[in-house]
Amino acid sequence: MGEQEFGRARSGKREPGSHEAGSHEAGNAPGSEPGGRELGNEVTGNEVPGNEELGSEEPGNEKAGKAPGGRGQDGETRKTVWVALGANLGIAVAKAVGGGIAGSPALLSEAAHSVADSLNEVFLLASLRRSERPADPSHPFGYGKERFFWSLLAAVGIFVTGGCFSFVQGIEAFQSEESESGSGYAIGLAVLVVALLAEGTSLLRALSQVRAQAKVRQHSTLREIRRNEDPALRTVLAEDSTACLGVLLAILGMALHMATGEGAYEAWASLLIGALLVYVAYVLGKSARAQLIGEAVAPEMQQRIRDFLDGRPEIDAVTAALTMRLGPDSVMLAARVDLVAGLDSEEVEEALVRTKRELRAQWPELGQLFLDVTDASVADRVRARRAREELDDAVEERRQVDAG
């Protein structure tokens, strides 16, 4: 697969009258017909009617390369983020005031947690707006990866503002000998109960959106949570879940402190909140990193695309089918195929146009499509067969995880 780049011809002879789409072979026989093309990129020859340049708008799609409902999902995600932002801003103020009055390190840790969450929601709103910008010459594949970048910043914010501050509060609490007043306990616990209700409301909003998406995609809510590709929604879900658990830890720490008079319980609660935030930041950062550097689509989608290409009567072999996610609802596909012998240049071009349209009809999120016609060697076919077996194994493994 690594022997040549997409869009470049392999050396070797083809059947008389055959033609490689997208690039002329070195040493073409005189009289070979011009007009071949790589899918979606114009080369010499007449335009085939209906073969729009890749990325142009097509009937039925608001924007090429956007899955149907993509903008609607963005709108729902934006509402979810705004709900979370409103809840976190109010809670942050209440926790900070309550923590200052009560002198509670656990409550102050939770205040830092809410400040971090509020800052992250601002990052996520920025990502939703900036990722919608259309492609331009300096960014020909669009700005969809803005989502992944701002999600990474959100993960860093959780780590620094939330996790590190909680650790500092916990360590200081071990060294402090101050005791809280009865009114301090009452204020702190009241603030935490209100915070739990607000965070729970925000979490229910995020879960409602996840359930709606799971229903559309006809699989379980748990699977949608595991597989969701929207970094903004995934971050809000992780933040709200962590916030609810963090509030429960703070309540437990304060209650034990109240019952025993030992401030160490609150200190441990603060350290546990910090550890929880660091873990969530790591998981979100790892996911954002994978998407930023170029992550393939889910193995199940790869398998369906390979099945589709393998089933085309004009395709003899698929030696490579590489995918990369350009945004939550935009994907690039670059495939190398060997066509059946005996096709002339016009038949090759028609086959590629037809394949493109049917791919886009089944997977509207395929915003960038590249098909490279090549002569597949025995080694190419062996590598392709091995890659297909590994793909099938990966799909089966994921099925077992989902079933378990």
Side-chain angles (χ1 to χ4, degrees):
M1 189 166 64
E3 291 181 0
Q4 73 172 62
E5 297 177 353
F6 284 96
R8 295 183 60 189
R10 290 180 57 91
S11 58
K13 295 180 179 178
R14 295 188 66 83
E15 295 291 330
S18 67
H19 194 81
E20 180 171 357
S23 55
H24 295 284
E25 292 186 351
N28 272 352
S32 61
E33 296 180 20
R37 68 172 59 218
E38 184 174 329
L39 187 58
N41 293 290
E42 187 175 348
V43 294
T44 330
N46 294 328
E47 178 82 9
V48 175
N51 185 25
E52 298 85 2
E53 183 178 350
L54 192 61
S56 61
E57 295 188 3
E58 293 186 8
N61 280 343
E62 291 180 4
K63 183 179 179 182
K66 277 261 189 185
R71 290 190 175 184
Q73 289 180 12
D74 285 355
E76 289 299 309
T77 299
R78 188 174 280 104
K79 291 178 186 176
T80 299
V81 175
W82 274 112
V83 169
L85 176 59
N88 281 315
L89 284 174
I91 292 168
V93 173
K95 286 177 180 176
V97 172
I101 295 173
S104 168
L107 193 50
L108 289 174
S109 295
E110 274 300 298
H113 181 182
S114 295
V115 170
D117 287 351
S118 300
L119 182 61
N120 294 339
E121 261 86 66
V122 174
F123 287 159
L124 297 178
L125 288 171
S127 77
L128 290 170
R129 181 178 59 82
R130 294 176 65 84
S131 66
E132 292 176 348
R133 289 180 294 171
D136 55 42
S138 61
H139 294 85
F141 294 137
Y143 290 83
K145 288 194 175 186
E146 286 267 13
R147 296 275 193 99
F148 309 143
F149 170 73
W150 291 98
S151 179
L152 180 62
L153 287 188
V156 174
I158 293 173
F159 176 80
V160 175
T161 311
C164 293
F165 184 82
S166 296
F167 278 124
V168 170
Q169 284 293 310
I171 293 170
E172 288 181 349
F174 276 115
Q175 300 170 349
S176 174
E177 297 181 356
E178 296 181 3
S179 59
E180 297 178 15
S181 63
S183 60
Y185 284 123
I187 292 172
L189 289 174
V191 169
L192 287 174
V193 170
V194 172
L196 183 61
L197 292 174
E199 295 285 9
T201 300
S202 179
L203 177 59
L204 289 176
R205 163 66 199 185
L207 286 173
S208 174
Q209 183 179 347
V210 170
R211 281 196 297 269
Q213 293 182 2
K215 186 176 180 180
V216 169
R217 292 164 184 164
Q218 299 182 338
H219 53 235
S220 68
T221 301
L222 181 58
R223 181 178 175 186
E224 181 64 24
I225 292 173
R226 289 174 177 170
R227 309 289 189 232
N228 193 278
E229 301 291 347
D230 185 346
L233 177 59
R234 188 170 57 243
T235 301
V236 170
L237 197 59
E239 286 178 350
D240 289 344
S241 302
T242 307
C244 289
L245 185 54
V247 169
L248 291 175
L249 287 172
I251 290 174
L252 179 61
M254 289 190 70
L256 290 173
H257 187 182
M258 183 188 302
T260 65
E262 291 290 334
Y265 288 111
E266 277 200 78
W268 279 113
S270 187
L271 292 177
L272 287 174
I273 292 170
L276 182 63
L277 291 172
V278 168
Y279 173 72
V280 170
Y282 168 76
V283 172
L284 292 175
K286 181 181 178 183
S287 174
R289 171 186 173 274
Q291 292 173 318
L292 270 175
I293 63 179
E295 187 177 45
V297 300
E300 293 85 356
M301 182 175 175
Q302 294 183 53
Q303 187 184 59
R304 291 193 295 270
I305 290 173
R306 288 295 297 262
D307 288 342
F308 172 85
L309 293 174
D310 285 335
R312 304 292 299 175
E314 60 270 21
I315 295 178
D316 181 53
V318 180
T319 60
L322 308 179
T323 62
M324 184 171 69
R325 191 163 287 284
L326 303 176
D329 51 12
S330 180
V331 173
M332 181 176 72
L333 169 64
R336 185 179 291 125
V337 298
D338 187 3
L339 300 182
V340 296
L343 298 179
D344 61 27
S345 61
E346 185 177 347
E347 291 172 326
V348 167
E349 190 165 13
E350 290 175 353
L352 293 181
V353 171
R354 189 165 55 249
T355 300
K356 168 200 166 182
R357 285 188 167 175
E358 294 187 18
L359 279 167
R360 290 285 295 275
Q362 291 199 38
W363 296 282
E365 61 266 40
L366 292 176
Q368 302 287 342
L369 283 171
F370 302 95
L371 292 184
D372 180 36
V373 180
T374 185
D375 288 322
S377 66
V378 174
D380 290 334
R381 293 171 185 268
V382 170
R383 280 194 296 270
R385 192 178 303 114
R386 189 181 302 119
R388 180 56 196 263
E389 291 171 356
E390 292 174 355
L391 177 61
D392 292 341
D393 290 342
V395 171
E396 182 58 32
E397 183 178 343
R398 283 164 63 97
R399 279 204 193 103
Q400 293 175 3
V401 169
D402 289 336

